[in-house]
PDB file of all heavy atoms in Angstrom:
ATOM      1  N   MET B 165     117.820  76.950   2.699  1.00 95.00           N
ATOM      2  CA  MET B 165     117.449  75.624   2.231  1.00 95.00           C
ATOM      3  C   MET B 165     116.256  75.715   1.242  1.00 95.00           C
ATOM      4  O   MET B 165     116.267  75.091   0.197  1.00 95.00           O
ATOM      5  CB  MET B 165     117.054  74.695   3.399  1.00 95.00           C
ATOM      6  CG  MET B 165     118.192  74.399   4.337  1.00 95.00           C
ATOM      7  SD  MET B 165     119.483  73.419   3.529  1.00 95.00           S
ATOM      8  CE  MET B 165     120.301  72.750   4.965  1.00 95.00           C
ATOM      9  N   ILE B 166     115.267  76.521   1.601  1.00 97.00           N
ATOM     10  CA  ILE B 166     114.083  76.656   0.706  1.00 97.00           C
ATOM     11  C   ILE B 166     114.562  77.299  -0.631  1.00 97.00           C
ATOM     12  O   ILE B 166     114.114  76.832  -1.715  1.00 97.00           O
ATOM     13  CB  ILE B 166     112.992  77.522   1.382  1.00 97.00           C
ATOM     14  CG1 ILE B 166     112.416  76.738   2.574  1.00 97.00           C
ATOM     15  CG2 ILE B 166     111.922  77.883   0.413  1.00 97.00           C
ATOM     16  CD1 ILE B 166     111.532  77.573   3.476  1.00 97.00           C
ATOM     17  N   ALA B 167     115.379  78.300  -0.554  1.00 97.00           N
ATOM     18  CA  ALA B 167     115.877  78.980  -1.777  1.00 97.00           C
ATOM     19  C   ALA B 167     116.657  78.001  -2.668  1.00 97.00           C
ATOM     20  O   ALA B 167     116.416  77.923  -3.866  1.00 97.00           O
ATOM     21  CB  ALA B 167     116.771  80.116  -1.395  1.00 97.00           C
ATOM     22  N   ILE B 168     117.474  77.175  -2.043  1.00 97.00           N
ATOM     23  CA  ILE B 168     118.279  76.209  -2.844  1.00 97.00           C
ATOM     24  C   ILE B 168     117.371  75.171  -3.475  1.00 97.00           C
ATOM     25  O   ILE B 168     117.554  74.810  -4.663  1.00 97.00           O
ATOM     26  CB  ILE B 168     119.374  75.555  -1.970  1.00 97.00           C
ATOM     27  CG1 ILE B 168     120.465  76.612  -1.598  1.00 97.00           C
ATOM     28  CG2 ILE B 168     119.985  74.382  -2.659  1.00 97.00           C
ATOM     29  CD1 ILE B 168     121.467  76.169  -0.577  1.00 97.00           C
ATOM     30  N   ILE B 169     116.386  74.696  -2.750  1.00 97.00           N
ATOM     31  CA  ILE B 169     115.442  73.697  -3.287  1.00 97.00           C
ATOM     32  C   ILE B 169     114.718  74.305  -4.462  1.00 97.00           C
ATOM     33  O   ILE B 169     114.608  73.667  -5.549  1.00 97.00           O
ATOM     34  CB  ILE B 169     114.461  73.194  -2.206  1.00 97.00           C
ATOM     35  CG1 ILE B 169     115.226  72.346  -1.178  1.00 97.00           C
ATOM     36  CG2 ILE B 169     113.311  72.398  -2.810  1.00 97.00           C
ATOM     37  CD1 ILE B 169     114.467  72.095   0.104  1.00 97.00           C
ATOM     38  N   ILE B 170     114.231  75.517  -4.349  1.00 97.00           N
ATOM     39  CA  ILE B 170     113.490  76.170  -5.434  1.00 97.00           C
ATOM     40  C   ILE B 170     114.400  76.360  -6.681  1.00 97.00           C
ATOM     41  O   ILE B 170     113.980  76.059  -7.781  1.00 97.00           O
ATOM     42  CB  ILE B 170     112.937  77.536  -4.967  1.00 97.00           C
ATOM     43  CG1 ILE B 170     111.807  77.307  -3.973  1.00 97.00           C
ATOM     44  CG2 ILE B 170     112.462  78.370  -6.131  1.00 97.00           C
ATOM     45  CD1 ILE B 170     111.310  78.592  -3.284  1.00 97.00           C
ATOM     46  N   LEU B 171     115.625  76.831  -6.402  1.00 96.00           N
ATOM     47  CA  LEU B 171     116.524  77.056  -7.528  1.00 96.00           C
ATOM     48  C   LEU B 171     116.993  75.764  -8.215  1.00 96.00           C
ATOM     49  O   LEU B 171     117.090  75.720  -9.435  1.00 96.00           O
ATOM     50  CB  LEU B 171     117.732  77.863  -7.060  1.00 96.00           C
ATOM     51  CG  LEU B 171     117.440  79.341  -6.726  1.00 96.00           C
ATOM     52  CD1 LEU B 171     118.580  80.007  -6.026  1.00 96.00           C
ATOM     53  CD2 LEU B 171     117.028  80.098  -7.992  1.00 96.00           C
ATOM     54  N   LEU B 172     117.207  74.741  -7.428  1.00 95.00           N
ATOM     55  CA  LEU B 172     117.557  73.443  -7.980  1.00 95.00           C
ATOM     56  C   LEU B 172     116.404  72.889  -8.865  1.00 95.00           C
ATOM     57  O   LEU B 172     116.612  72.427  -9.953  1.00 95.00           O
ATOM     58  CB  LEU B 172     117.902  72.414  -6.920  1.00 95.00           C
ATOM     59  CG  LEU B 172     119.311  72.524  -6.314  1.00 95.00           C
ATOM     60  CD1 LEU B 172     119.407  71.581  -5.073  1.00 95.00           C
ATOM     61  CD2 LEU B 172     120.404  72.243  -7.289  1.00 95.00           C
ATOM     62  N   ALA B 173     115.174  73.007  -8.369  1.00 95.00           N
ATOM     63  CA  ALA B 173     114.012  72.481  -9.055  1.00 95.00           C
ATOM     64  C   ALA B 173     113.721  73.284 -10.333  1.00 95.00           C
ATOM     65  O   ALA B 173     113.217  72.686 -11.295  1.00 95.00           O
ATOM     66  CB  ALA B 173     112.803  72.486  -8.119  1.00 95.00           C
ATOM     67  N   SER B 174     114.015  74.554 -10.333  1.00 92.00           N
ATOM     68  CA  SER B 174     113.606  75.412 -11.424  1.00 92.00           C
ATOM     69  C   SER B 174     114.562  75.353 -12.620  1.00 92.00           C
ATOM     70  O   SER B 174     114.131  75.638 -13.764  1.00 92.00           O
ATOM     71  CB  SER B 174     113.522  76.874 -10.926  1.00 92.00           C
ATOM     72  OG  SER B 174     112.561  76.964  -9.916  1.00 92.00           O
ATOM     73  N   GLY B 175     115.813  75.088 -12.374  1.00 86.00           N
ATOM     74  CA  GLY B 175     116.781  75.215 -13.464  1.00 86.00           C
ATOM     75  C   GLY B 175     117.064  76.669 -13.762  1.00 86.00           C
ATOM     76  O   GLY B 175     116.488  77.556 -13.132  1.00 86.00           O
ATOM     77  N   PRO B 176     117.899  76.930 -14.750  1.00 86.00           N
ATOM     78  CA  PRO B 176     118.283  78.330 -15.016  1.00 86.00           C
ATOM     79  C   PRO B 176     117.184  79.066 -15.793  1.00 86.00           C
ATOM     80  O   PRO B 176     116.266  78.449 -16.391  1.00 86.00           O
ATOM     81  CB  PRO B 176     119.523  78.199 -15.910  1.00 86.00           C
ATOM     82  CG  PRO B 176     119.359  76.880 -16.573  1.00 86.00           C
ATOM     83  CD  PRO B 176     118.627  76.002 -15.590  1.00 86.00           C
ATOM     84  N   GLY B 177     117.266  80.392 -15.765  1.00 83.00           N
ATOM     85  CA  GLY B 177     116.309  81.169 -16.544  1.00 83.00           C
ATOM     86  C   GLY B 177     115.603  82.265 -15.703  1.00 83.00           C
ATOM     87  O   GLY B 177     114.733  81.913 -14.933  1.00 83.00           O
ATOM     88  N   MET B 178     116.021  83.502 -15.887  1.00 81.00           N
ATOM     89  CA  MET B 178     115.443  84.605 -15.122  1.00 81.00           C
ATOM     90  C   MET B 178     114.017  84.877 -15.548  1.00 81.00           C
ATOM     91  O   MET B 178     113.346  85.711 -14.928  1.00 81.00           O
ATOM     92  CB  MET B 178     116.292  85.851 -15.288  1.00 81.00           C
ATOM     93  CG  MET B 178     117.540  85.828 -14.462  1.00 81.00           C
ATOM     94  SD  MET B 178     117.307  85.721 -12.707  1.00 81.00           S
ATOM     95  CE  MET B 178     116.655  87.356 -12.358  1.00 81.00           C
ATOM     96  N   ASP B 179     113.508  84.214 -16.596  1.00 86.00           N
ATOM     97  CA  ASP B 179     112.128  84.435 -17.033  1.00 86.00           C
ATOM     98  C   ASP B 179     111.161  83.633 -16.203  1.00 86.00           C
ATOM     99  O   ASP B 179     109.909  83.778 -16.364  1.00 86.00           O
ATOM    100  CB  ASP B 179     111.969  84.124 -18.499  1.00 86.00           C
ATOM    101  CG  ASP B 179     112.414  82.695 -18.824  1.00 86.00           C
ATOM    102  OD1 ASP B 179     113.242  82.120 -18.078  1.00 86.00           O
ATOM    103  OD2 ASP B 179     111.907  82.154 -19.850  1.00 86.00           O
ATOM    104  N   LYS B 180     111.602  82.759 -15.326  1.00 90.00           N
ATOM    105  CA  LYS B 180     110.696  81.933 -14.500  1.00 90.00           C
ATOM    106  C   LYS B 180     110.457  82.580 -13.147  1.00 90.00           C
ATOM    107  O   LYS B 180     111.390  82.973 -12.465  1.00 90.00           O
ATOM    108  CB  LYS B 180     111.367  80.567 -14.253  1.00 90.00           C
ATOM    109  CG  LYS B 180     111.663  79.815 -15.541  1.00 90.00           C
ATOM    110  CD  LYS B 180     112.409  78.496 -15.117  1.00 90.00           C
ATOM    111  CE  LYS B 180     112.895  77.753 -16.435  1.00 90.00           C
ATOM    112  NZ  LYS B 180     113.770  76.627 -16.069  1.00 90.00           N
ATOM    113  N   PRO B 181     109.189  82.707 -12.765  1.00 94.00           N
ATOM    114  CA  PRO B 181     108.878  83.301 -11.460  1.00 94.00           C
ATOM    115  C   PRO B 181     109.498  82.517 -10.301  1.00 94.00           C
ATOM    116  O   PRO B 181     109.919  83.127  -9.289  1.00 94.00           O
ATOM    117  CB  PRO B 181     107.331  83.245 -11.375  1.00 94.00           C
ATOM    118  CG  PRO B 181     106.884  83.094 -12.810  1.00 94.00           C
ATOM    119  CD  PRO B 181     107.973  82.399 -13.543  1.00 94.00           C
ATOM    120  N   THR B 182     109.630  81.210 -10.435  1.00 94.00           N
ATOM    121  CA  THR B 182     110.252  80.461  -9.339  1.00 94.00           C
ATOM    122  C   THR B 182     111.721  80.747  -9.171  1.00 94.00           C
ATOM    123  O   THR B 182     112.241  80.785  -8.059  1.00 94.00           O
ATOM    124  CB  THR B 182     110.081  78.929  -9.561  1.00 94.00           C
ATOM    125  OG1 THR B 182     110.551  78.596 -10.858  1.00 94.00           O
ATOM    126  CG2 THR B 182     108.602  78.507  -9.421  1.00 94.00           C
ATOM    127  N   VAL B 183     112.427  81.026 -10.265  1.00 94.00           N
ATOM    128  CA  VAL B 183     113.827  81.395 -10.186  1.00 94.00           C
ATOM    129  C   VAL B 183     113.978  82.716  -9.493  1.00 94.00           C
ATOM    130  O   VAL B 183     114.835  82.911  -8.620  1.00 94.00           O
ATOM    131  CB  VAL B 183     114.496  81.401 -11.585  1.00 94.00           C
ATOM    132  CG1 VAL B 183     115.910  81.994 -11.521  1.00 94.00           C
ATOM    133  CG2 VAL B 183     114.544  79.990 -12.185  1.00 94.00           C
ATOM    134  N   ILE B 184     113.120  83.672  -9.851  1.00 94.00           N
ATOM    135  CA  ILE B 184     113.135  85.008  -9.216  1.00 94.00           C
ATOM    136  C   ILE B 184     112.862  84.861  -7.715  1.00 94.00           C
ATOM    137  O   ILE B 184     113.553  85.451  -6.865  1.00 94.00           O
ATOM    138  CB  ILE B 184     112.145  85.953  -9.886  1.00 94.00           C
ATOM    139  CG1 ILE B 184     112.617  86.238 -11.328  1.00 94.00           C
ATOM    140  CG2 ILE B 184     112.030  87.253  -9.110  1.00 94.00           C
ATOM    141  CD1 ILE B 184     111.600  86.941 -12.196  1.00 94.00           C
ATOM    142  N   LEU B 185     111.877  84.027  -7.334  1.00 96.00           N
ATOM    143  CA  LEU B 185     111.598  83.773  -5.925  1.00 96.00           C
ATOM    144  C   LEU B 185     112.811  83.147  -5.236  1.00 96.00           C
ATOM    145  O   LEU B 185     113.187  83.578  -4.138  1.00 96.00           O
ATOM    146  CB  LEU B 185     110.385  82.844  -5.795  1.00 96.00           C
ATOM    147  CG  LEU B 185     110.069  82.425  -4.360  1.00 96.00           C
ATOM    148  CD1 LEU B 185     109.721  83.576  -3.475  1.00 96.00           C
ATOM    149  CD2 LEU B 185     108.950  81.365  -4.393  1.00 96.00           C
ATOM    150  N   GLY B 186     113.477  82.198  -5.903  1.00 96.00           N
ATOM    151  CA  GLY B 186     114.627  81.573  -5.328  1.00 96.00           C
ATOM    152  C   GLY B 186     115.786  82.569  -5.107  1.00 96.00           C
ATOM    153  O   GLY B 186     116.414  82.588  -4.062  1.00 96.00           O
ATOM    154  N   TYR B 187     115.942  83.500  -6.076  1.00 96.00           N
ATOM    155  CA  TYR B 187     116.970  84.533  -5.950  1.00 96.00           C
ATOM    156  C   TYR B 187     116.672  85.460  -4.753  1.00 96.00           C
ATOM    157  O   TYR B 187     117.530  85.792  -3.965  1.00 96.00           O
ATOM    158  CB  TYR B 187     117.084  85.357  -7.204  1.00 96.00           C
ATOM    159  CG  TYR B 187     117.931  84.747  -8.293  1.00 96.00           C
ATOM    160  CD1 TYR B 187     118.002  83.409  -8.506  1.00 96.00           C
ATOM    161  CD2 TYR B 187     118.674  85.575  -9.159  1.00 96.00           C
ATOM    162  CE1 TYR B 187     118.786  82.839  -9.553  1.00 96.00           C
ATOM    163  CE2 TYR B 187     119.482  85.039 -10.184  1.00 96.00           C
ATOM    164  CZ  TYR B 187     119.512  83.676 -10.348  1.00 96.00           C
ATOM    165  OH  TYR B 187     120.257  83.158 -11.330  1.00 96.00           O
ATOM    166  N   VAL B 188     115.427  85.874  -4.679  1.00 96.00           N
ATOM    167  CA  VAL B 188     114.982  86.750  -3.583  1.00 96.00           C
ATOM    168  C   VAL B 188     115.233  86.080  -2.263  1.00 96.00           C
ATOM    169  O   VAL B 188     115.759  86.717  -1.289  1.00 96.00           O
ATOM    170  CB  VAL B 188     113.512  87.164  -3.765  1.00 96.00           C
ATOM    171  CG1 VAL B 188     112.961  87.844  -2.469  1.00 96.00           C
ATOM    172  CG2 VAL B 188     113.338  88.085  -4.983  1.00 96.00           C
ATOM    173  N   LEU B 189     114.859  84.811  -2.121  1.00 97.00           N
ATOM    174  CA  LEU B 189     115.019  84.099  -0.827  1.00 97.00           C
ATOM    175  C   LEU B 189     116.534  83.935  -0.557  1.00 97.00           C
ATOM    176  O   LEU B 189     116.970  84.044   0.618  1.00 97.00           O
ATOM    177  CB  LEU B 189     114.342  82.770  -0.903  1.00 97.00           C
ATOM    178  CG  LEU B 189     112.818  82.765  -0.866  1.00 97.00           C
ATOM    179  CD1 LEU B 189     112.242  81.369  -1.059  1.00 97.00           C
ATOM    180  CD2 LEU B 189     112.344  83.367   0.468  1.00 97.00           C
ATOM    181  N   LEU B 190     117.334  83.671  -1.584  1.00 97.00           N
ATOM    182  CA  LEU B 190     118.765  83.471  -1.382  1.00 97.00           C
ATOM    183  C   LEU B 190     119.415  84.803  -0.919  1.00 97.00           C
ATOM    184  O   LEU B 190     120.263  84.818  -0.037  1.00 97.00           O
ATOM    185  CB  LEU B 190     119.425  82.924  -2.600  1.00 97.00           C
ATOM    186  CG  LEU B 190     120.806  82.293  -2.370  1.00 97.00           C
ATOM    187  CD1 LEU B 190     120.732  81.098  -1.424  1.00 97.00           C
ATOM    188  CD2 LEU B 190     121.416  81.850  -3.669  1.00 97.00           C
ATOM    189  N   TYR B 191     118.950  85.935  -1.513  1.00 97.00           N
ATOM    190  CA  TYR B 191     119.472  87.215  -1.057  1.00 97.00           C
ATOM    191  C   TYR B 191     119.015  87.515   0.372  1.00 97.00           C
ATOM    192  O   TYR B 191     119.776  88.052   1.173  1.00 97.00           O
ATOM    193  CB  TYR B 191     119.011  88.345  -1.970  1.00 97.00           C
ATOM    194  CG  TYR B 191     120.043  88.606  -3.074  1.00 97.00           C
ATOM    195  CD1 TYR B 191     119.982  87.906  -4.290  1.00 97.00           C
ATOM    196  CD2 TYR B 191     121.061  89.501  -2.868  1.00 97.00           C
ATOM    197  CE1 TYR B 191     120.900  88.141  -5.259  1.00 97.00           C
ATOM    198  CE2 TYR B 191     122.024  89.711  -3.880  1.00 97.00           C
ATOM    199  CZ  TYR B 191     121.931  89.033  -5.068  1.00 97.00           C
ATOM    200  OH  TYR B 191     122.873  89.233  -6.028  1.00 97.00           O
ATOM    201  N   GLY B 192     117.794  87.122   0.734  1.00 96.00           N
ATOM    202  CA  GLY B 192     117.331  87.235   2.108  1.00 96.00           C
ATOM    203  C   GLY B 192     118.184  86.435   3.049  1.00 96.00           C
ATOM    204  O   GLY B 192     118.599  86.916   4.115  1.00 96.00           O
ATOM    205  N   ALA B 193     118.539  85.224   2.657  1.00 96.00           N
ATOM    206  CA  ALA B 193     119.413  84.361   3.470  1.00 96.00           C
ATOM    207  C   ALA B 193     120.820  84.976   3.591  1.00 96.00           C
ATOM    208  O   ALA B 193     121.400  84.970   4.662  1.00 96.00           O
ATOM    209  CB  ALA B 193     119.521  82.964   2.865  1.00 96.00           C
ATOM    210  N   ALA B 194     121.286  85.592   2.499  1.00 96.00           N
ATOM    211  CA  ALA B 194     122.607  86.219   2.537  1.00 96.00           C
ATOM    212  C   ALA B 194     122.626  87.432   3.500  1.00 96.00           C
ATOM    213  O   ALA B 194     123.575  87.644   4.243  1.00 96.00           O
ATOM    214  CB  ALA B 194     123.042  86.675   1.129  1.00 96.00           C
ATOM    215  N   ILE B 195     121.506  88.216   3.496  1.00 96.00           N
ATOM    216  CA  ILE B 195     121.430  89.354   4.461  1.00 96.00           C
ATOM    217  C   ILE B 195     121.424  88.833   5.863  1.00 96.00           C
ATOM    218  O   ILE B 195     122.105  89.382   6.753  1.00 96.00           O
ATOM    219  CB  ILE B 195     120.189  90.193   4.088  1.00 96.00           C
ATOM    220  CG1 ILE B 195     120.425  90.936   2.786  1.00 96.00           C
ATOM    221  CG2 ILE B 195     119.871  91.200   5.202  1.00 96.00           C
ATOM    222  CD1 ILE B 195     119.177  91.524   2.148  1.00 96.00           C
ATOM    223  N   LEU B 196     120.631  87.786   6.139  1.00 94.00           N
ATOM    224  CA  LEU B 196     120.599  87.199   7.476  1.00 94.00           C
ATOM    225  C   LEU B 196     121.957  86.595   7.828  1.00 94.00           C
ATOM    226  O   LEU B 196     122.316  86.583   9.029  1.00 94.00           O
ATOM    227  CB  LEU B 196     119.463  86.170   7.591  1.00 94.00           C
ATOM    228  CG  LEU B 196     118.042  86.710   7.519  1.00 94.00           C
ATOM    229  CD1 LEU B 196     117.032  85.587   7.529  1.00 94.00           C
ATOM    230  CD2 LEU B 196     117.780  87.698   8.642  1.00 94.00           C
ATOM    231  N   THR B 197     122.648  86.088   6.868  1.00 92.00           N
ATOM    232  CA  THR B 197     123.971  85.542   7.061  1.00 92.00           C
ATOM    233  C   THR B 197     124.919  86.615   7.546  1.00 92.00           C
ATOM    234  O   THR B 197     125.675  86.387   8.508  1.00 92.00           O
ATOM    235  CB  THR B 197     124.500  84.968   5.715  1.00 92.00           C
ATOM    236  OG1 THR B 197     123.764  83.767   5.393  1.00 92.00           O
ATOM    237  CG2 THR B 197     125.961  84.644   5.750  1.00 92.00           C
ATOM    238  N   ILE B 198     124.888  87.744   6.914  1.00 93.00           N
ATOM    239  CA  ILE B 198     125.753  88.881   7.347  1.00 93.00           C
ATOM    240  C   ILE B 198     125.367  89.322   8.751  1.00 93.00           C
ATOM    241  O   ILE B 198     126.223  89.542   9.605  1.00 93.00           O
ATOM    242  CB  ILE B 198     125.669  90.025   6.337  1.00 93.00           C
ATOM    243  CG1 ILE B 198     126.299  89.586   5.034  1.00 93.00           C
ATOM    244  CG2 ILE B 198     126.331  91.282   6.874  1.00 93.00           C
ATOM    245  CD1 ILE B 198     125.997  90.522   3.851  1.00 93.00           C
ATOM    246  N   TRP B 199     124.069  89.401   9.032  1.00 92.00           N
ATOM    247  CA  TRP B 199     123.587  89.872  10.307  1.00 92.00           C
ATOM    248  C   TRP B 199     124.033  88.853  11.414  1.00 92.00           C
ATOM    249  O   TRP B 199     124.456  89.278  12.496  1.00 92.00           O
ATOM    250  CB  TRP B 199     122.081  90.079  10.304  1.00 92.00           C
ATOM    251  CG  TRP B 199     121.577  90.583  11.640  1.00 92.00           C
ATOM    252  CD1 TRP B 199     120.804  89.907  12.524  1.00 92.00           C
ATOM    253  CD2 TRP B 199     121.798  91.879  12.184  1.00 92.00           C
ATOM    254  NE1 TRP B 199     120.535  90.694  13.621  1.00 92.00           N
ATOM    255  CE2 TRP B 199     121.164  91.917  13.436  1.00 92.00           C
ATOM    256  CE3 TRP B 199     122.527  93.012  11.789  1.00 92.00           C
ATOM    257  CZ2 TRP B 199     121.198  93.030  14.257  1.00 92.00           C
ATOM    258  CZ3 TRP B 199     122.546  94.099  12.606  1.00 92.00           C
ATOM    259  CH2 TRP B 199     121.882  94.111  13.827  1.00 92.00           C
ATOM    260  N   SER B 200     123.810  87.567  11.181  1.00 87.00           N
ATOM    261  CA  SER B 200     124.188  86.573  12.193  1.00 87.00           C
ATOM    262  C   SER B 200     125.708  86.569  12.404  1.00 87.00           C
ATOM    263  O   SER B 200     126.213  86.381  13.527  1.00 87.00           O
ATOM    264  CB  SER B 200     123.660  85.197  11.856  1.00 87.00           C
ATOM    265  OG  SER B 200     124.290  84.660  10.732  1.00 87.00           O
ATOM    266  N   MET B 201     126.482  86.762  11.319  1.00 87.00           N
ATOM    267  CA  MET B 201     127.914  86.845  11.461  1.00 87.00           C
ATOM    268  C   MET B 201     128.326  88.027  12.302  1.00 87.00           C
ATOM    269  O   MET B 201     129.245  87.950  13.152  1.00 87.00           O
ATOM    270  CB  MET B 201     128.558  86.917  10.062  1.00 87.00           C
ATOM    271  CG  MET B 201     130.064  86.795  10.084  1.00 87.00           C
ATOM    272  SD  MET B 201     130.568  85.071  10.476  1.00 87.00           S
ATOM    273  CE  MET B 201     131.284  85.345  12.058  1.00 87.00           C
ATOM    274  N   TYR B 202     127.671  89.172  12.094  1.00 88.00           N
ATOM    275  CA  TYR B 202     127.895  90.335  12.933  1.00 88.00           C
ATOM    276  C   TYR B 202     127.651  90.038  14.412  1.00 88.00           C
ATOM    277  O   TYR B 202     128.446  90.404  15.277  1.00 88.00           O
ATOM    278  CB  TYR B 202     127.021  91.528  12.462  1.00 88.00           C
ATOM    279  CG  TYR B 202     126.984  92.643  13.450  1.00 88.00           C
ATOM    280  CD1 TYR B 202     128.060  93.513  13.543  1.00 88.00           C
ATOM    281  CD2 TYR B 202     125.892  92.835  14.306  1.00 88.00           C
ATOM    282  CE1 TYR B 202     128.036  94.588  14.464  1.00 88.00           C
ATOM    283  CE2 TYR B 202     125.878  93.880  15.224  1.00 88.00           C
ATOM    284  CZ  TYR B 202     126.929  94.735  15.264  1.00 88.00           C
ATOM    285  OH  TYR B 202     126.904  95.751  16.224  1.00 88.00           O
TER     286      TYR B 202
END
């Protein structure tokens, strides 16, 4: 949820630190997603 909020608020553009943070958090959520599914 935090990742989605950050990414929605930031708009596109890999040059923005907030977008990079949103991507990192979303990848963290995806890893936890795989682990919880396991």
Side-chain angles (χ1 to χ4, degrees):
M165 296 293 200
I166 293 168
I168 291 171
I169 291 166
I170 290 170
L171 289 169
L172 282 170
S174 300
M178 285 298 289
D179 57 334
K180 301 175 187 172
T182 54
V183 171
I184 294 169
L185 174 62
Y187 277 36
V188 168
L189 290 173
L190 199 61
Y191 269 90
I195 290 165
L196 292 177
T197 289
I198 293 167
W199 182 249
S200 67
M201 188 71 248
Y202 167 76

